[in-house]
Amino acid sequence: MTQTQDNQTEDHLADRKLPGQVVLVLQGGGALGSYQVGVYQALHEAGVEPDWIIGTSIGAINASIIAGNAPENRLSQLEDFWRRMEQKPLWTFPGAWPGFHDTLGYWSTLMRGIPGFFTPNASAHAGLNYPIGADRAGYYLTEALEQTLLELVDFSLVNQCKPRLTVGAAHVCTSEMRYFDSRTSNLGVKHILASGALPPAFPPVRIDGQLYWDGGILSNTPTEAVFEDNPRKDSLVFSVHMWNPTGPEPQTMADVLNRQKDIQYSSRIANHITRQQQAHKLRHIITELASRLPEDVRKSETIKAMAAYGCQTRMHVVRLLSPQLERENHTKDVDFSPSGIQQRWHAGYIHTKRALERKPWEGEFDPLAGVILHEQETSLPLAAE
């Protein structure tokens, strides 16, 4: 897989003052996750390595590969992983209608799985009520992914927290979101598998006696982990999205399925960001009001307790959104074709380069604003640069 290597950002951001810790937030989305690798490549070339990576599902997989390798090896290991994921059709038919080979690749993936990722689980097709055990209750098994991750990820590096790694998973029995964090506990391959165990395709993963599914079924955009961190810090957050929260009215059943997935997995991110902006503005207001009180009043234990709800941190959120490819449909998250992987990788790279060149976090902002959202420019073409 050849990526644009010769247009590295000359003015490396590492030489400039950034507005806080660098956080990389990666959504779940199967094959769409190659977009995230392009994002990381652009950051890496600009000398901007994340201090903290938060991921769900394929985002957790990409995050673990970044966190589990030295900076100079991260891109090559990511490239190795995605090369293993490539699905080339067993047969080609010259003159076939547009999209035919994509459809063929989709059905090939469903029937055969992907070497190095997942394989069909024959016992799951024996019947809905046939007992197969919770640990194998999925149409595919992921032992191959476990082996792949053990080959590509050094979990001793992950647990050094350079960068910090957080992965989201859903507790099967309580429906509660659980964020496994290398800052508070040792992470292993099971935590990554749990974050990507999307039902009913993949079986849940047992950690400390408890079963977990893919965190995306509860929160596919784990930006909340940044906002709720304790203590909060000034942050530059690159929030990487593969599912589009906005879209046209569906005209066909294929459109319906595609739009339904986008709505479900975009996780109402616009509303979530709006609520966080409101909450953080209130924290800034509390801090400002407390500073205006007489000193003897501020020393009161009651006032101290109230003022503790205040905060002066500021978080710049740079939102990067994967584009819709030509002829893309509801099967896009299993489009592991070499061309699909390459196009999304390239798009992530170009989008992030543009964001780094614009540096939207620089400038004057409302002093009471605690969360500032920066949208990417989507009108520009994605031609090779």
Side-chain angles (χ1 to χ4, degrees):
M1 181 184 310
T2 301
Q3 300 299 328
T4 305
Q5 298 284 354
D6 54 351
N7 291 325
Q8 297 188 7
T9 304
E10 294 180 2
D11 181 18
H12 281 194
L13 295 184
D15 298 329
R16 304 179 64 89
K17 182 174 176 58
L18 297 176
Q21 65 176 344
V22 176
V23 185
L24 184 58
V25 179
L26 306 177
Q27 264 192 351
L32 306 180
S34 58
Y35 177 83
Q36 300 170 347
V37 186
V39 171
Y40 174 73
Q41 180 185 358
L43 292 174
H44 176 79
E45 290 181 0
V48 181
E49 293 294 342
D51 301 297
W52 184 11
I53 315 176
I54 308 167
T56 298
S57 198
I58 193 66
I61 292 172
N62 283 331
S64 71
I65 296 173
I66 297 170
N69 284 281
E72 64 271 18
N73 298 326
R74 290 169 180 170
L75 275 175
S76 62
Q77 293 294 77
L78 285 166
E79 184 171 346
D80 190 342
F81 175 81
W82 284 93
R83 186 182 297 112
R84 299 187 194 199
M85 298 302 106
E86 287 182 355
Q87 278 288 84
K88 299 180 176 67
L90 295 177
W91 305 281
T92 57
F93 299 90
W97 48 270
F100 173 80
H101 290 104
D102 292 339
T103 301
L104 191 65
Y106 168 74
W107 285 106
S108 174
T109 299
L110 292 188
M111 299 298 294
R112 300 170 52 242
I114 297 178
F117 195 167
F118 58 88
T119 55
N121 178 17
S123 60
H125 298 273
L128 291 179
N129 295 315
Y130 184 79
I132 55 178
D135 294 345
R136 297 183 69 80
Y139 289 114
Y140 302 90
L141 300 176
T142 55
E143 284 92 343
L145 176 59
E146 180 173 2
Q147 183 58 42
T148 296
L149 290 175
L150 289 174
E151 292 174 8
L152 297 178
V153 179
D154 183 344
F155 283 95
S156 67
L157 286 180
V158 168
N159 292 306
Q160 291 179 17
C161 288
K162 298 179 181 179
R164 175 183 174 189
L165 175 64
T166 303
V167 298
H171 194 287
V172 172
C173 297
T174 66
S175 304
E176 294 179 345
M177 190 71 176
R178 171 76 183 275
Y179 285 109
F180 296 101
D181 194 330
S182 64
R183 189 178 69 175
T184 57
S185 60
N186 284 337
L187 300 189
V189 68
K190 294 296 185 184
H191 298 91
I192 312 305
L193 294 174
S195 185
L198 182 65
F202 303 142
V205 176
R206 196 175 298 277
I207 298 174
D208 296 330
Q210 304 296 311
L211 287 175
Y212 293 91
W213 269 327
D214 190 313
I217 64 177
L218 289 178
S219 178
N220 197 42
T221 310
T223 318
E224 63 194 38
V226 183
F227 299 137
E228 298 171 3
D229 196 32
N230 187 20
R232 283 181 290 273
K233 297 180 179 179
D234 289 340
S235 302
L236 174 57
V237 182
F238 293 93
S239 186
V240 187
H241 299 239
M242 283 93 70
W243 304 94
N244 201 323
T246 63
E249 294 182 356
Q251 302 298 320
T252 68
M253 287 309 298
D255 292 342
V256 169
L257 294 172
N258 189 33
R259 190 74 200 113
Q260 179 266 330
K261 276 190 174 181
D262 274 337
I263 292 173
Q264 178 180 356
Y265 292 118
S266 63
S267 298
R268 300 173 62 206
I269 185 60
N271 289 341
H272 185 60
I273 290 289
T274 298
R275 289 197 304 272
Q276 291 295 336
Q277 288 175 320
Q278 294 168 344
H280 279 257
K281 186 168 187 176
L282 288 174
R283 291 189 179 104
H284 281 229
I285 290 173
I286 290 171
T287 300
E288 178 66 18
L289 288 174
S291 70
R292 295 171 181 264
L293 294 174
E295 185 176 355
D296 60 326
V297 176
R298 291 201 305 270
K299 291 180 179 179
S300 161
E301 292 302 320
T302 301
I303 297 301
K304 285 182 179 179
M306 292 180 179
Y309 287 93
C311 180
Q312 290 183 305
T313 59
R314 172 167 287 170
M315 301 181 188
H316 289 270
V317 180
V318 179
R319 185 167 173 267
L320 300 164
L321 177 63
S322 178
Q324 182 166 314
L325 304 183
E326 185 180 3
R327 294 192 303 272
E328 188 173 272
N329 58 33
H330 65 284
T331 68
K332 57 191 174 185
D333 52 331
V334 289
D335 174 22
F336 287 93
S337 65
S339 63
I341 290 173
Q342 176 70 28
Q343 289 180 72
R344 293 188 176 93
W345 186 317
H346 176 69
Y349 180 76
I350 296 303
H351 284 169
T352 308
K353 280 192 65 178
R354 290 174 182 162
L356 295 174
E357 290 164 358
R358 288 191 299 117
K359 296 184 277 291
W361 51 86
E362 294 185 352
E364 298 295 326
F365 302 96
D366 180 353
L368 295 179
V371 174
I372 302 171
L373 178 63
H374 307 284
E375 298 278 12
Q376 73 188 44
E377 296 180 25
T378 57
S379 59
L380 298 175
L382 282 173
E385 297 187 1

